[in-house]
Amino acid sequence: PQFYTELQPARLGLTGDEKTDKLRRFKLVSLLGFGMAAVQYALVMVFGFLTFGSATQGNVLLNYAASDPLATFARVAVGISMLFGYPMQFAGFRDGILEMCKQPAQLPKARHRLVTAGLLALAVAVACAFRDLGQFQAIEGALLAAFLIYTAPPIMALRLMRGKSLGLMALAALGGVVGAVGCAVNAGWV
């Protein structure tokens, strides 16, 4: 939000009191939105642990009996959410991969289908490798945290500087090492 709040006034052409008022309201709405989401996640985690203790599974819904109608409803709701939400997420993932590989967004139909099938096969292979959602989320968290903290900022700085900096390249490499170690620890290899 900080980066966004610094760029937004310039994009909208705001000046003076308008800018100050809009930024103040945007920061308030951002703070409230992120705060409510954090409280909601914390409550789900706390009540899940209070209900099941140390036996809590990675997917909390698996702790409930198969005959529990509310848990069944929740499982169906999660399934529907995944069924209809995944295509939107996948389209963004595919477009991001194509952009990263410097490919046009509009590929010929055959190539578009091949890329889509390949990425779907990769996603299915990853899904089949994990039976415990908690383990998957721990590995995903290790990778994303290492990337966002150690790797992405130096890569962006290197792109902006249009030059080479040994320190920034070392920091990006450190992110790769930290991510690999985090994955190994969460997978139980270390």
Side-chain angles (χ1 to χ4, degrees):
Q2 182 65 31
F3 180 70
Y4 180 78
T5 57
E6 290 173 6
L7 293 179
Q8 187 66 4
R11 189 176 73 79
L12 294 177
L14 300 176
T15 58
D17 292 339
E18 258 184 342
K19 179 171 99 174
T20 305
D21 187 48
K22 294 244 186 214
L23 284 177
R24 185 184 53 75
R25 288 187 296 172
F26 176 76
K27 288 178 181 179
L28 177 65
V29 168
S30 296
L31 181 65
L32 287 174
F34 283 110
M36 289 187 320
V39 167
Q40 180 183 5
Y41 281 121
L43 287 174
V44 168
M45 289 186 291
V46 166
F47 286 116
F49 185 78
L50 289 176
T51 303
F52 301 108
S54 62
T56 303
Q57 296 184 34
N59 181 350
V60 175
L61 293 175
L62 295 177
N63 293 302
Y64 292 96
S67 59
D68 185 339
L70 290 176
T72 301
F73 174 75
R75 288 183 189 108
V76 169
V78 168
I80 289 171
S81 172
M82 289 174 62
L83 180 67
F84 292 105
Y86 184 76
M88 291 184 290
Q89 295 170 4
F90 181 78
F93 171 65
R94 182 190 57 223
D95 293 347
I97 294 291
L98 288 173
E99 184 178 333
M100 186 177 71
C101 296
K102 300 197 183 318
Q103 296 293 317
Q106 298 297 325
L107 294 174
K109 189 176 270 190
R111 191 165 179 200
H112 182 268
R113 288 180 178 167
L114 182 65
V115 168
T116 299
L119 291 174
L120 275 174
L122 176 66
V124 168
V126 170
C128 289
F130 293 96
R131 301 295 300 164
D132 180 11
L133 183 61
Q135 182 188 20
F136 174 77
Q137 288 183 326
I139 291 173
E140 178 187 34
L143 282 174
L144 288 176
F147 177 75
L148 291 174
I149 294 169
Y150 295 110
T151 308
I155 289 173
M156 289 187 282
L158 285 168
R159 299 260 332 239
L160 284 174
M161 291 174 17
R162 299 183 196 274
K164 299 201 185 291
S165 164
L166 191 57
L168 289 174
M169 288 189 275
L171 187 57
L174 175 66
V177 171
V178 168
V181 169
C183 286
V185 168
N186 284 310
W189 299 333
V190 176

